[in-house]
Structure formats: structure tokens, C-alpha cells
Amino acid sequence: MSTTGIVLNTRRPVLAEAVELVSSMRFAISMLTIIAIASMIGTVLTQNQPMPNYVNQFGPFWFDVFNKLGLYAVYSAWWFLLILVFLIISTSLCIVRNAPKMIKDMRSWRENVRETSLRNFHHKSEWSAPLARADLARQSAARLADAGYAAKIVEKDHATLVAARKGAANKFGYIFAHSSIIIILVGGMLDSDIPIQFQEWFLGKKPFVGGGLISQIPAENRLSLSNPTYRGNTLIPEGQSSDIAIIPRPDGALLQPLPFTIELKRFIIDFYSTGMPKLFASEVVIRDHETGKTFPATIKVNEPLIYKGVAVYQSSFEDGGTKLKMLAWPMSGTDTASFAMNGEVNASTPLARGGEQYTVEWSGFRPFNVENTAGNQDARAVTRGQSLNEQFAVTLDKHSGSAGKNANNKDLKNVGPSVQYKLRDKTGQAREYQNYMQPVTVDGAEVFLAGVRASPGDPFSYLRIPSDQAHTVKEWMRLRAALADPALRELAAERYARRAMPAASNTPAATLARQLQESSSKSLAIFAGDGKPGGYVAVSRFLEKIPAAEQEKAADIFMKILNGTLWELWQAAREKDGLARMEGDENQARFLQLATNALSDSFFYGAPVYLQLDEFVEVKASVLQVTRSPGKAVVYLGCVFLVLGVFAMFYIRERRLWIWVRGGEDGGPAHALMAMSTQRKTLDFEHEFNDLKAKLAQLA
């Protein structure tokens, strides 16, 4: 029995100390600090993104470390939710420990004071009145009641005490403020990921990984219609409908059925004068599954549709399957003929070229592209180990965000439609491309932009194909094919040598002409690559073999021969196609220079064809966010409590006042001693004390 008593006595202090720690202010502040740090991480680090994005951003090692810490979904991480639970427990214990004392103190009159203790108050006053003790006490209490005080008269030994109080509701500030924290946290947890995680842990729900028809996805990947809380997205093309929301998970997605069907009749988008989106809205028809009732509605940004406890927000917009008609231009060999290719956004098209099989995956279409084409893009960033023109990729800004801040930017221009796609080879490797339909004016010259990148996390780098006089890519494609034709290169070299040395009739001159022809032919062969990467990289490798002292002079001679021979190559290609020879002028010289740069860059383009957008039939799709938030009303209630608590703590001042009345027997005067106290001594309190002192003394 004594042993049991010893055990109980040792356990009781430990439990008491644990409760004391959890309910202490330092523990609550520690929890709030951790929550603040986690919230900063969740703000800086974009949450709930596809895992490959994080791998590309941090690398395999740190990706795994951050993933184990749950930093990619901080607000649903187990440790974050555990901190919230501890904070709720801590705040609840604070209320349980302190609220009864505060309520008791609010109801208390503190009538057990003594005259000697009242004389020790800083704010005190004394006076005498020709009244009986009871009369003076009653009149003082009445005067205090007129001033807004609640008063109580207590008889003491040979004295009467008037105890008064005002602003006792100040204590409710503490109770309301702490209660609001609990209510807001509970409301937030109701709208958190906990209900879905509970279903994954205990009800066998699993995220779906892969693709296929929604109707064929099994029940284990679907949540119940009675799921209390969720936040998902649904993408609906024009003319189609949906009754399923997709809830993204770290390793897949869950399907959430809705109690109604949303049919998108029309998607509306309005633009600023700069071409940036200003307003987008969805005209929909809602059909209730339970009653069969249908009604139209318009969902705008910040103007959601709320029906049956489900809020439908206009989130964004996507392509709904735009029909594309492309022209495919060969990027290798001597073929110059283009061929038609049809595609549809979010679908794929097979492509056979040069004995190889490819798949074109159409990933996006944009009818408007507002770009900043200002700045100097003369510097060419195509060097060995780099992709195409990275400087221009940085300068050419994507349209995103608010257009208001750029309203006065004269360099913003709508450069027309663009198409985005991935070209995947038979091994599964893919590069992503973005091609503009219309030529864009850059540095005073019209060029067709053909973007390419090897990784989704990289910016697009652009091949700039010069536009010819007919605003097409035909002339550049003709020159590209001619560069790959050894016979045309020999003809161009012969013509260049004959044009450079027209009177080479004697033996020495003929020898020089022959040498010039050989040099011209070799320069074209080096630039063409002949199975290896050519362009300026090949020229640079060739010049590195020359002694350093002679490289600058050799480079100048080489480029003069190359430019002259390329001109003859272009003319020979035109004659082969039955076209007249070009007259050399400044415009044609500029075109040839841009064409030469593009030819050099094309060796890094990495595609067998250049796909040029010819026609399109746009199909828009609306992305709607669908949420059920039962905790929203709870959070609003918590906010009301927080406002009331802050108001009570800062704007309601508790004041206590006592008047000790003695004497007044046998017709003599009664003597009154007044003392007053408050939690915060302010200038207003001083004025109130002086005012009450004067009014109560008037009873004399």
C-alpha cells in the first residue's frame, strides 16, 4: 500500500509539470514561432507541384531530404498538423486554467478590503459630509451608478463600504482572443487535408497514377460524394461538361464526384490594349443530380458560384483541344518540299522521317503572345555546349501577371499565335518546341522564331529564321537544302572563283582561280558539316589549327570567301528551281547574313523538321476550382471572436473604486475615504478620477 502511495506521489508532480509546460506562454510562443517558420517555407517554396519540378530544381539528394520533411506540402505535413494540435491543446489549457479565475474575479466586489489598505492607494481622496453614514453611502452609490459603475453597499464594523466596478468585461478580451485561436485552428483543420489523409490511411483510398478514361478509374481512386472537405480542379472545354474534380496528391490524383454537372457553354476572355488578359469568365449550365433541375450561371474571377455547399471559382483557362494545321519543312538533306501535318492540342501525331519514328505531342496553343521585343539582341549565344540564343530567350518575355504595370510600355507587342509541342523519339527522349505563326520584327528584321529547350525547367532558346520578301521561310529552306547538296556547293564555288577572277587566262592566274575554287568549296564543306555539327562551331575548330598569330587574318579571309560562296549557292539553288537570279543589294545582303546565322544555329535545333503553324480552329477550356469548405464559417466565427477579444482588451478598461464611510452617529458628520485603481494608468483614468473625486465630494 505504501509502495502504491509512493508511485502516485511521484507521478502526480510529473503530470502537473507537463500540464504547466504545455499551458505556459513560452510553449505557445514556441509553437507559433515554428508555425511562422513553416508558413514562410510554404510561401517561398511553391507547394503541391509535380515532383519532377522539384527534382530539377534541387537535385536528387536535396529533393529526397525535402520530401521526407514534407516541405512540398507543408500545410498537410504530419508534423505541421501535430504542431497545430499542440497549439490547440496549449491554448485550451490556458483557458481552462485562467478563465474560471477571471470570471470569478469579474463577479467579485473585492469587499474584503480594509481602511488601512485603501490609504495606501496612490489615487485616493477624503472628505466629510453632514449626513448619516448610511445616507452618505447610499448617495455615493447612486452617484457612482450615474457614472456607469455597478455598486454594492457592504456593512462593516462601525463603517460602511461602497464597492464599485466598471469595465469588468475587459476579462472577456483574454477569453475571446484565446478562444478565437482555437476556433480558427479547428476551422482550418476542418478545411485541411486531414479528412482526405484519413481516408487514405484507414479507408483504402489511393491516388491514381497514369492516364485513361475517367469512367474506367476504379473506386479506390475515387472519394465519396459525402466527403466533408476538398479542393480540386476541373477542366471543361467549350461545349462539354464535367461532374468530377481532380484533387492532386504528391504521388498522383484522387477523383472527387460533384453533386451536380457543370456544362461550359462559352468561355469569355477580354484583353487589355496591350493584348494581356484582363477578364475571363465562364457561362455554364448547372444540372442537379438529385432533382434534375438546371439553371444557367456565369462564373467570374472573384465571383464564384455557390451551390449545395460547393463553391465553384474561375481559376484559369487552358486549351480545350484546338485543331492545328501545320506545314512541316525538312531540316536535313536536300529536300525542300513541305508537307501538311494535322494535330490537336492534348493529343499526339506520329511522324516518320529519315527512317526514324517520332511522336509529336501537342501540348499548347496560344492565340495571343504579348512579348517585349525591345533591347539589343545582336549578341549571339550559340556556342559549343549551349543551346540556341539564350540571351534572346531571356529578353523575350512571356505574357503573365497583371498588364496594368506594363500599360505604358511601348515595347510590348502582340506577336500573334504560337504552338507548343514535344518531339519524342523511339527511345522516349523528348525536346520541347515553341514556334510562332507570324514573323516577328527583331532588330529591324523580320524573323520566324522557333524555340527549343531540352528540359521543362529551362527557358526557350530561339532559332531565328529570316523572313523572305514573300514573308515565308521558303528562301531560307532553299538555301539550307542547297548547303546539303555537294553538287550545288561545287557549282557555287566555281562561280565564286570565276566572279572573283574573271580574267584568269594565263597559267598563274588560272592556278590561283583553281585554288580559290578549292578554298571556296572547302569553306562550304566545313560550314555544312557533312554529317558533323557545322556552322560557326566547325569554322572555329578549323581556325584553331592555324597558328595563333595568323588566326585573325585567316578568319577574315575565310568569312569573306564563305559569304561570297553562300551568295552564289543561293543563286544556284534559285536557278535550279527555275527562279531568276537575285540582284545584290543591302536588303539581300542583310537577309543572307541572317540566313547564315540561322544555318549555323540550325545544327543545334535537334529536330528533323520545322513545324510551321498554317491554320487553326481554337477550342477554349475553362479551369474551375471546386471547393467544399465547412470550416470557413468556423473560421469566420473565430475572426469575430478575435475582433471582440482585441476590442475588449484594448478599448475596455477595468476600474475598481471603494468608499469607506465611518462616523455620522449622534448627528455628527460622516467621513468618507475613496480609493480607485485600474490595470493601466492612463491620462483618461486621471481625468476620470479627478472628476469622480469632485462629484462625490459635492455631497459634503
Side-chain angles (χ1 to χ4, degrees):
M1 189 71 179
S2 61
T3 304
T4 305
I6 293 173
V7 172
L8 291 176
N9 289 336
T10 55
R11 285 183 177 177
R12 197 173 292 121
V14 172
L15 180 61
E17 288 179 3
V19 172
E20 176 71 24
L21 173 63
V22 174
S23 61
S24 65
M25 180 68 72
R26 64 181 184 275
F27 184 85
I29 292 177
S30 299
M31 294 296 100
L32 287 172
T33 302
I34 298 175
I35 291 175
I37 294 173
S39 300
M40 286 189 290
I41 294 174
T43 302
V44 174
L45 180 61
T46 307
Q47 302 287 286
N48 299 311
Q49 294 295 303
M51 289 302 167
N53 291 5
Y54 296 121
V55 176
N56 294 334
Q57 184 175 359
F58 300 115
F61 175 78
W62 287 110
F63 163 79
D64 190 54
V65 172
F66 294 160
N67 188 40
K68 289 180 179 178
L69 293 175
L71 300 186
Y72 306 134
V74 170
Y75 304 113
S76 58
W78 65 268
W79 55 267
F80 185 82
L81 298 176
L82 185 62
I83 291 173
L84 295 184
V85 171
F86 271 114
L87 186 57
I88 291 175
I89 294 174
S90 175
T91 310
S92 300
L93 288 176
C94 284
I95 295 176
V96 169
R97 290 181 59 195
N98 298 320
K101 300 176 185 178
M102 291 183 174
I103 294 175
K104 182 179 179 181
D105 185 65
M106 289 166 54
R107 300 174 63 181
S108 171
W109 293 95
R110 300 183 186 177
E111 67 266 24
N112 294 323
V113 297
R114 298 178 178 273
E115 182 180 6
T116 54
S117 62
L118 294 179
R119 291 187 180 278
N120 292 326
F121 277 59
H122 177 74
H123 293 83
K124 62 182 183 294
S125 178
E126 296 186 61
W127 67 89
S128 298
L131 296 172
R133 185 176 67 193
D135 293 338
L136 179 58
R138 282 194 301 273
Q139 291 188 28
S140 298
R143 185 63 61 89
L144 290 172
D146 291 340
Y149 283 78
K152 179 182 179 181
I153 299 176
V154 181
E155 292 297 329
K156 299 285 185 177
D157 292 339
H158 307 293
T160 301
L161 176 67
V162 180
R165 67 191 182 202
K166 185 178 181 181
N170 171 270
K171 296 289 193 303
F172 281 116
Y174 175 91
I175 298 173
F176 284 167
H178 283 67
S179 299
S180 69
I181 295 175
I182 299 174
I183 295 172
I184 291 173
L185 290 177
V186 170
M189 295 181 74
L190 286 176
D191 287 348
S192 71
D193 213 28
I194 294 179
I196 295 178
Q197 289 186 1
F198 179 86
Q199 297 179 65
E200 290 178 333
W201 293 338
F202 302 107
L203 300 182
K205 299 299 181 181
K206 298 179 180 178
F208 177 75
V209 180
L213 297 176
I214 290 180
S215 59
Q216 298 176 354
I217 295 178
E220 66 179 9
N221 307 126
R222 297 172 179 264
L223 298 174
S224 169
L225 190 63
S226 59
N227 186 25
T229 177
Y230 51 82
R231 183 184 302 271
N233 295 316
T234 180
L235 185 147
I236 310 174
E238 287 180 324
Q240 299 186 31
S241 59
S242 173
D243 61 355
I244 294 289
I246 308 298
I247 301 177
R249 309 298 293 162
D251 51 350
L254 289 169
L255 272 61
Q256 174 62 57
L258 305 177
F260 48 80
T261 297
I262 308 172
E263 181 183 359
L264 180 63
K265 289 296 186 181
R266 188 164 71 102
F267 181 76
I268 305 168
I269 183 168
D270 191 14
F271 296 90
Y272 287 99
S273 58
T274 59
M276 291 190 176
K278 177 175 65 175
L279 167 71
F280 41 94
S282 299
E283 293 184 353
V284 301
V285 172
I286 305 297
R287 181 172 62 83
D288 192 312
H289 292 171
E290 184 177 357
T291 64
K293 170 187 173 184
T294 62
F295 61 91
T298 300
I299 304 172
K300 300 179 180 179
V301 177
N302 299 326
E303 296 182 21
L305 166 69
I306 301 177
Y307 184 64
K308 285 198 164 183
V310 178
V312 185
Y313 295 88
Q314 181 66 62
S315 176
S316 62
F317 59 93
E318 297 287 346
D319 194 284
T322 294
K323 307 295 188 286
L324 305 170
K325 183 178 179 182
M326 313 292 293
L327 285 179
W329 297 89
M331 290 294 286
S332 61
T334 60
D335 187 11
T336 61
S338 63
F339 58 94
M341 174 182 286
N342 295 327
E344 180 179 325
V345 176
N346 301 323
S348 60
T349 304
L351 172 65
R353 196 71 185 166
E356 298 290 336
Q357 296 295 324
Y358 300 90
T359 301
V360 182
E361 301 172 357
W362 310 100
S363 56
F365 168 80
R366 290 165 59 182
F368 295 94
N369 288 276
V370 178
E371 312 289 5
N372 181 4
T373 57
N376 181 15
Q377 288 91 32
D378 286 339
R380 295 167 43 74
V382 183
T383 58
R384 183 171 179 80
Q386 294 179 322
S387 56
L388 304 177
N389 232 320
E390 294 173 358
Q391 180 180 355
F392 186 72
V394 174
T395 307
L396 187 65
D397 300 326
K398 298 287 184 62
H399 88 257
S400 60
S402 170
K405 61 185 180 182
N406 293 319
N408 297 321
N409 191 337
K410 305 302 182 182
D411 299 317
L412 291 176
K413 297 178 182 178
N414 177 19
V415 296
S418 69
V419 63
Q420 195 165 321
Y421 60 91
K422 288 183 179 179
L423 186 64
R424 193 175 302 276
D425 60 24
K426 61 182 179 181
T427 65
Q429 299 297 316
R431 302 186 87 188
E432 193 169 12
Y433 297 86
Q434 182 186 37
N435 296 343
Y436 288 79
M437 181 178 184
Q438 301 170 357
V440 179
T441 301
V442 179
D443 295 337
E446 285 191 350
V447 294
F448 287 90
L449 298 176
V452 59
R453 63 183 178 187
S455 171
D458 297 335
F460 279 104
S461 301
Y462 289 87
L463 170 66
R464 293 190 253 176
I465 302 175
S467 172
D468 54 29
Q469 292 179 342
H471 305 289
T472 69
V473 297
K474 290 182 179 179
E475 289 297 331
W476 185 83
M477 291 295 175
R478 181 179 288 114
L479 181 58
R480 184 212 60 76
L483 185 63
D485 189 339
L488 279 180
R489 293 205 305 259
E490 286 298 329
L491 178 60
E494 178 186 348
R495 290 185 177 182
Y496 174 71
R498 189 166 59 244
R499 181 164 58 89
M501 303 185 67
S505 57
N506 53 33
T507 301
T511 301
L512 289 176
R514 216 170 24 253
Q515 291 175 350
L516 179 58
Q517 179 178 341
E518 291 174 358
S519 298
S520 303
S521 178
K522 186 175 181 180
S523 67
L524 283 181
I526 293 172
F527 192 79
D530 287 340
K532 301 178 182 179
Y536 294 134
V537 172
V539 174
S540 177
R541 287 203 203 100
F542 172 76
L543 293 175
E544 287 174 357
K545 300 176 183 179
I546 299 174
E550 301 177 9
Q551 282 184 5
E552 184 176 352
K553 181 179 179 181
D556 185 55
I557 295 174
F558 188 99
M559 292 307 300
K560 287 181 179 180
I561 294 175
L562 177 63
N563 290 334
T565 313
L566 281 173
W567 172 266
E568 293 298 338
L569 181 65
W570 182 20
Q571 306 314 312
R574 287 180 57 85
E575 291 175 11
K576 179 184 175 183
D577 294 338
L579 300 175
R581 182 183 177 89
M582 285 281 193
E583 295 295 333
D585 57 22
E586 184 177 348
N587 292 332
Q588 301 306 328
R590 177 72 184 277
F591 175 86
L592 183 62
Q593 182 59 55
L594 294 174
T596 305
N597 294 342
L599 287 171
S600 176
D601 295 351
S602 66
F603 293 103
F604 300 93
Y605 190 59
V609 293
Y610 161 66
L611 297 180
Q612 184 181 22
L613 181 60
D614 187 31
E615 296 179 7
F616 62 88
V617 178
E618 185 183 10
V619 179
K620 303 185 187 75
S622 179
V623 179
L624 303 175
Q625 185 181 79
V626 186
T627 65
R628 175 176 281 171
S629 307
K632 182 169 64 174
V634 179
V635 172
Y636 287 160
L637 177 62
C639 293
V640 172
F641 268 67
L642 182 60
V643 172
L644 292 176
V646 172
F647 179 84
M649 285 191 294
F650 286 96
Y651 295 97
I652 299 178
R653 295 176 292 108
E654 183 182 15
R655 283 90 78 200
R656 296 277 182 169
L657 188 146
W658 298 268
I659 302 177
W660 189 278
V661 183
R662 56 181 172 79
E665 295 90 355
D666 303 329
H671 183 77
L673 169 63
M674 182 191 77
M676 190 174 179
S677 69
T678 185
Q679 291 177 326
R680 297 191 304 272
K681 293 180 175 61
T682 62
L683 188 61
D684 290 338
F685 174 74
E686 296 288 344
H687 291 326
E688 185 177 6
F689 171 74
N690 293 328
D691 184 58
L692 286 174
K693 181 174 68 173
K695 289 181 178 179
L696 292 172
Q698 289 177 1
L699 297 175

